[in-house]
Amino acid sequence: LQEVNSKLNKRLKDALFTDQWSELFMDVLSPFSFVLVSTVRMQGLFLLLFAKYQHLPFLRDIQTDCTRTGLGGCWGNKGGVSVRLSVFGHMVCFLNCHLPAHLEKAEQRKQDFATILHMQQFEGRAANGILDHDLVFWFGDLNFRIESLDIRFVKYAIDSNILSQLWEKDQLNIAKSTWPVLSGFQEGPLNFPPTFKFDVGTNKYDSSVKKRKPAWTDRILWKIKAPGAGCPPGRGGLSVSQLCYCSHMEYTVSDHKPVAAVFAVQFSSKVDSPAVEIYVAEEWSRPEQAVVRYRMAAGFHRSTWDWIGLYQVGFRHPKDYVSYVWARSEEDDCSVVFTEEALPQGRGDYILGYYSSACSSIVGVAGPFQVSATARRTSQALATAALMTGALQISLGSSEEGSDEDDSTLVLLATKSRSPSPGKMKQHRSRSPTLAKFQGLILRPASRERGTSRSPSPQGRRGLAAHLPAIPLPKQEPGARSTRAKDVAPEGRNGGAGYATPWEQCGLWHVAGDTFLARADPRTLGLLPALRLEPLDAPTGPRRESVDHGPPCRKTSPSSPLGDPAGTSPRDEEPA
């Protein structure tokens, strides 16, 4: 792109956020599996490089540079920006230029282009200068004009489609045969009308007072490095074929028409082994399948800041990951595991990419493969089941001893598998404002000396103990009807019993009618059905013995206090 809006307020906005042009191209190209590889901008001069994700591991040594030539080299309205990289082992450079305008500035255009070639130097042992690369693509608003011919004849040739009569007067065609700096550059035939200058919003050439002569100012050229004595074996077989070279007359938002070209590049040899090979299962349907094994190539320089990202098919750039894990192993053949919290929601196709901090690019790709929602749901179900079988203490209202604690509390013992110190598991208390204090409910204080097993591990999963805190109820009021649950069935093998409903399994009272007790039904509070209610006539008497050793576990709803434990998002820790 040339002449992108580069006003101060626009530049500040683009510096703080992703610029609108990059967002636009990523939105358009990402559905076709193109990923943004690199960008470089100098005021209104902009260059973006995209590649298909399967080619990313073979794009290495990516570098950018820019050269100002406006106002004697002090201003960036004119000049050149470039991106160079190794493509399958061959050095390729893309150079975008905006050269001086006007017919009489041909010699200055030559000098500015020579300055750009001289000033832009890259690091590394191979291809330090632009013309040292195996293949160079040179394009942009080069501003070369048509000499000698009158504007009326130029328009006549365009209308009559005899463009060949204009080619020999084109300044760039003349310069390719006379300027040594342009030796070896090639261009396809100009079979499309001149792309400058149009009245904005129309397809009519300049009708202003200046009446500028139409010209092919926007060009795309390429150059193949001639094989020399120091050329590595196999490099001489590089060939380029131009498949398309055209303009798009339907766009009228500028006084230029956009130009596009399609090339086919053939290498006699190529480097087709990635720096990092990644191995992964074809589908992640269970959490234990989320294991990634990777192997480093000999000579690869790893870093402690390298990471492996999980990308959804259609991702836009290397930082557009769903989650990631650090790849800090010192071994050449190692593995990492994505935790259940890092797995994405839903079902879809995903890709794994190894991001090298030293190379600032993805050097290894695996996939696509499927990740199903079952993988995350399974882990959540295991965690929920472990919580439901753990010890739960619920306090409603105030204790008989006249405790000063007026607020309701919920005490939940987390599973040992999630405790940072399994040997010293602690209780975590949290205020629960939704558990109000109800009149007529008396708290029986919990005791740590009870015989309930506090081990929530699946291996030793047992029912809840029979001596849970009792919550006495007031005597039945006139007009209120209550029914007793069915008699307790014989004890099962593991202390459980089969009942008609989960509520009846616990031997609980059912309160009917629109009373405060009905509204205080523990079922409406999201509590587990492991409470026993007794009449208020014997609040201090011994608790009724029960042979119920715990009801079958039930699934918690999303609004239940036993929802998914909070996890840390992988995005909370952004790699440097």
Side-chain angles (χ1 to χ4, degrees):
L1 301 171
Q2 293 83 32
E3 298 184 7
V4 173
N5 186 350
S6 57
K7 294 181 180 179
L8 181 59
N9 59 343
K10 182 65 176 177
R11 292 304 309 275
L12 289 175
K13 182 179 179 181
D14 291 345
L16 296 175
F17 310 99
T18 305
D19 64 275
Q20 295 178 342
W21 282 106
S22 296
E23 290 286 351
L24 173 64
F25 283 116
M26 287 189 291
D27 289 342
V28 172
L29 294 175
S30 59
F32 300 95
S33 300
F34 282 99
V35 180
L36 180 63
V37 175
S38 181
T39 64
V40 57
R41 179 174 180 176
M42 184 181 68
Q43 290 185 208
L45 202 57
F46 204 2
L47 177 59
L48 303 96
L49 178 64
F50 289 81
K52 290 203 170 184
Y53 73 84
Q54 60 265 31
H55 295 161
L56 294 179
F58 311 104
L59 308 181
R60 305 175 186 175
D61 195 14
I62 304 171
Q63 299 182 41
T64 63
D65 203 354
C66 61
T67 302
R68 299 177 178 88
T69 60
L71 296 179
C74 299
W75 195 243
N77 63 325
K78 297 292 189 294
V81 295
S82 63
V83 175
R84 85 86 175 261
L85 70 163
S86 171
V87 182
F88 291 99
H90 299 264
M91 302 306 298
V92 180
C93 182
F94 299 91
L95 176 61
N96 179 21
C97 291
H98 192 183
L99 300 182
H102 306 302
L103 178 66
E104 65 278 7
K105 296 294 182 66
E107 189 64 26
Q108 187 177 348
R109 286 189 280 272
K110 171 186 174 182
Q111 294 177 1
D112 283 7
F113 182 58
T115 300
I116 294 171
L117 295 180
H118 175 72
M119 294 293 294
Q120 297 205 6
Q121 298 292 319
F122 302 97
E123 299 177 355
R125 293 174 296 178
N128 297 112
I130 291 179
L131 298 182
D132 296 332
H133 290 73
D134 300 321
L135 177 60
V136 178
F137 289 99
W138 177 38
F139 47 88
D141 184 1
L142 307 184
N143 262 322
F144 289 99
R145 308 302 172 97
I146 297 176
E147 291 184 344
S148 305
L149 300 178
D150 182 73
I151 184 174
R152 291 173 294 182
F153 179 80
V154 172
K155 290 185 176 181
Y156 168 77
I158 296 172
D159 295 337
S160 303
N161 198 24
I162 50 176
L163 302 176
S164 58
Q165 297 188 19
L166 306 178
W167 294 347
E168 59 184 15
K169 297 300 182 179
D170 176 73
Q171 288 180 336
L172 182 55
N173 287 335
I174 297 172
K176 283 191 296 182
S177 59
T178 58
W179 294 0
V181 71
L182 295 181
S183 176
F185 278 95
Q186 305 177 55
E187 184 183 19
L190 299 171
N191 292 326
F192 51 90
T195 57
F196 176 82
K197 173 184 187 260
F198 290 85
D199 293 335
V200 177
T202 70
N203 286 324
K204 297 180 180 180
Y205 286 102
D206 187 16
S207 61
S208 66
V209 178
K210 296 182 179 180
K211 292 192 180 298
R212 295 181 179 88
K213 188 190 306 182
W216 286 288
T217 58
D218 310 285
R219 313 288 277 270
I220 301 175
L221 298 88
W222 74 95
K223 180 180 181 178
I224 302 174
K225 182 180 178 180
C231 183
R235 293 285 181 89
L238 178 65
S239 64
V240 178
S241 300
Q242 190 177 60
L243 307 180
C244 176
Y245 191 29
C246 62
S247 66
H248 295 272
M249 300 292 292
E250 64 272 18
Y251 291 96
T252 61
V253 296
S254 171
D255 56 352
H256 292 252
K257 297 298 182 181
V259 177
V262 180
F263 296 90
V265 182
Q266 184 175 3
F267 303 111
S268 60
S269 64
K270 66 177 183 178
V271 177
D272 54 2
S273 57
V276 178
E277 296 183 5
I278 303 177
Y279 306 93
V280 66
E282 295 182 356
E283 182 179 4
W284 288 359
S285 58
R286 300 186 304 274
E288 57 269 19
Q289 291 179 322
V291 179
V292 181
R293 190 168 65 89
Y294 58 96
R295 178 180 300 169
M296 311 283 187
F300 174 72
H301 299 287
R302 75 189 72 189
S303 170
T304 55
W305 296 105
D306 292 354
W307 45 274
I308 297 178
L310 179 64
Y311 302 90
Q312 192 166 14
V313 172
F315 69 103
R316 298 146 51 95
H317 53 84
K319 300 297 180 69
D320 189 22
Y321 51 79
V322 177
S323 60
Y324 71 91
V325 293
W326 295 106
R328 292 173 173 170
S329 176
E330 297 295 334
E331 301 178 0
D332 292 335
D333 192 348
C334 46
S335 61
V336 293
V337 178
F338 279 83
T339 61
E340 61 269 17
E341 291 85 359
L343 297 179
Q345 298 281 0
R347 184 183 182 92
D349 294 331
Y350 291 85
I351 297 169
L352 287 172
Y354 185 103
Y355 185 87
S356 170
S357 178
C359 300
S360 298
S361 62
I362 294 177
V363 297
V365 171
F369 61 97
Q370 284 192 344
V371 177
S372 61
T374 309
R376 188 175 179 90
R377 286 199 304 266
T378 302
S379 61
Q380 292 175 350
L382 291 175
T384 303
L387 288 173
M388 292 178 65
T389 56
L392 179 66
Q393 298 180 357
I394 301 174
S395 302
L396 296 177
S398 59
S399 63
E400 290 179 315
E401 288 77 13
S403 172
D404 295 333
E405 185 81 343
D406 290 337
D407 294 334
S408 304
T409 60
L410 171 65
V411 181
L412 175 63
L413 298 181
T415 62
K416 286 188 177 182
S417 60
R418 294 186 179 273
S419 172
S421 179
K424 300 179 180 180
M425 186 171 60
K426 300 180 180 179
Q427 292 188 0
H428 301 278
R429 300 174 61 89
S430 62
R431 300 287 180 181
S432 178
T434 59
L435 300 179
K437 183 170 64 176
F438 297 99
Q439 181 181 4
L441 293 181
I442 300 178
L443 173 68
R444 291 297 180 88
S447 175
R448 290 182 177 233
E449 286 74 22
R450 293 177 183 146
T452 305
S453 171
R454 293 186 179 273
S455 173
S457 60
Q459 293 82 358
R461 188 175 301 171
R462 287 182 293 223
L464 296 175
H467 46 281
L468 290 171
I471 300 180
L473 287 175
K475 293 183 180 181
Q476 180 176 344
E477 300 178 1
R481 184 168 56 93
S482 63
T483 57
R484 181 69 180 272
K486 294 182 179 180
D487 294 337
V488 179
E491 182 175 334
R493 289 180 57 186
N494 297 324
Y499 303 108
T501 64
W503 205 252
E504 293 173 347
Q505 294 166 10
C506 305
L508 297 178
W509 290 81
H510 298 275
V511 182
D514 186 13
T515 65
F516 70 94
L517 287 178
R519 292 190 295 272
D521 194 326
R523 288 174 293 182
T524 65
L525 303 176
L527 308 179
L528 290 176
L531 305 174
R532 292 196 313 277
L533 307 180
E534 297 179 356
L536 192 61
D537 53 359
T540 60
R543 287 194 297 270
R544 173 176 54 89
E545 295 294 329
S546 173
V547 296
D548 183 10
H549 291 275
C553 296
R554 65 177 178 89
K555 296 182 179 179
T556 58
S557 65
S559 61
S560 171
L562 295 180
D564 296 338
T568 303
S569 172
R571 289 189 176 273
D572 293 341
E573 185 179 8
E574 184 74 11

